[in-house]
Amino acid sequence: MQAFGLYTHIRANRIRSGFLLAGLFLLIYVMVFAGALVVEAFAYGEPPLDVILARAFRDLIAAFPWATIAALVWLFIAYRFNRGIIALATGAHPVTRVEEPKLYQLLENLCISRGLTMPRLYIMESPVLNAFASGMNEKQYAVTVTRGLMEALDDQEMEAVLAHELTHIRNGDVRMMVIAVVIAGVISFFGEILFRSLTRMSFGSGGIRMPRRSSNGDRKGGGGGALVAILIAVALIVLSWLLSQVIRFALSRAREYLADAGAVELTKNPDAMISALLKIDGRGELPSAPSAVMEMCIDNPRSGFTDLFATHPSIASRVDRLVRFAGGRMPELPPVPSDGPEEANEEPHAGPWGTALPDGSAQQPAPGQGSPQSQGSIPQGPWGPLFPPGGGR
């Protein structure tokens, strides 16, 4: 699915995400099959492995409609109550135009510019720097920002962050992530039930209990086939859980680059998006927020070993893409204070685009050093002196 331009990238991402969600839904039935294997393995008069597999498959067919109904009920609950659940988990509260006029107006102007329905605005009273969007439809969409973010960013940077979250809403990322989190939660919940049931069956009262042999003592049946069936069930449970997490991370990582690009399209200000990301970097951890909420945030500092389970691309890679593809510029770093005049004179002179010359030609030499022209502290540009020696200003 090759993509050329922002909107074809968005369409391609939606198609890929749809396939990923379908695969995530199929993992529910894999878990049901694993549960059927466990039940059949501990059944009385244990048959051979091939018979166990056949019976488990029949159990899967019989449980298919019930598993589907249970998953849909779970999705319906999330659909109706997701905004309230998220607000309860994060402690966010809604605000109006009267309470936060500047923030409200920034979000409203962005919505008017693209004809979007104004989402609800929430604030978390937290000193960390982060924001996220939530909701499943236009009546539920909400944008939440932390108090620390409001205090740390200027108006242009805050506008870029709000545009980033609006882009998630426009692209359908918010709805997709809620569905993915719910289905992955079903898989995790069902997997935990299976493991607990398997533990009770194997290590119940009276010590370790292995699956029973068939009454006729057939060597082809008995504990050997049942033990293999249990091992297959455990492998399926672990594999399903791992794949559900990988799919969640794949959905989350792919959408952040597009949301950054969409924010630039809305604001026409890539520099503000870059500056906001650099300020947020490493300061967005919400200790009380569940992992599902952190996956929706503009930055998620939580990551697994060697970033294998990181839900977001690094800030450095996102900034790099904004510089390379969106015309953004790295902000000028403030000068480092020096202790002596000699060190101060050796500070490189920044060019008109906020970048010091790599060859050091923009450095002003200390008094008494260099050529007669350099003693006059001739200002330097990116291609040499701004005023040639002997010329007029």
Side-chain angles (χ1 to χ4, degrees), residues 79-130:
Y79 180 84
R80 291 297 301 271
F81 305 108
N82 68 91
R83 189 173 69 183
I85 293 173
I86 292 174
L88 185 63
T90 59
H93 61 89
V95 294
T96 62
R97 184 195 302 271
V98 176
E99 296 170 319
E100 296 291 343
K102 181 184 294 186
L103 185 65
Y104 194 96
Q105 186 175 3
L106 287 174
L107 182 59
E108 186 179 48
N109 289 342
L110 289 170
C111 293
I112 292 174
S113 67
R114 287 296 183 271
L116 301 175
T117 301
M118 177 75 175
R120 294 288 298 272
L121 187 60
Y122 281 74
I123 291 181
M124 289 179 59
E125 300 297 339
S126 172
V128 304
L129 277 58
N130 224 323

Side-chain angles (χ1 to χ4, degrees), residues 260-320:
D260 291 340
V264 173
E265 184 208 20
L266 279 173
T267 63
K268 305 298 186 293
N269 191 351
D271 294 350
M273 188 73 247
I274 291 173
S275 180
L277 288 174
L278 292 176
K279 288 183 178 180
I280 294 171
D281 188 16
R283 302 173 63 188
E285 173 67 24
L286 295 169
S288 60
S291 60
V293 173
M294 290 301 302
E295 292 174 23
M296 300 179 184
C297 291
I298 190 172
D299 183 37
N300 183 10
R302 301 177 187 176
S303 61
F305 55 93
T306 65
D307 290 337
L308 180 62
F309 294 109
T311 62
H312 286 50
S314 66
I315 294 294
S317 63
R318 293 165 66 179
V319 169
D320 178 67

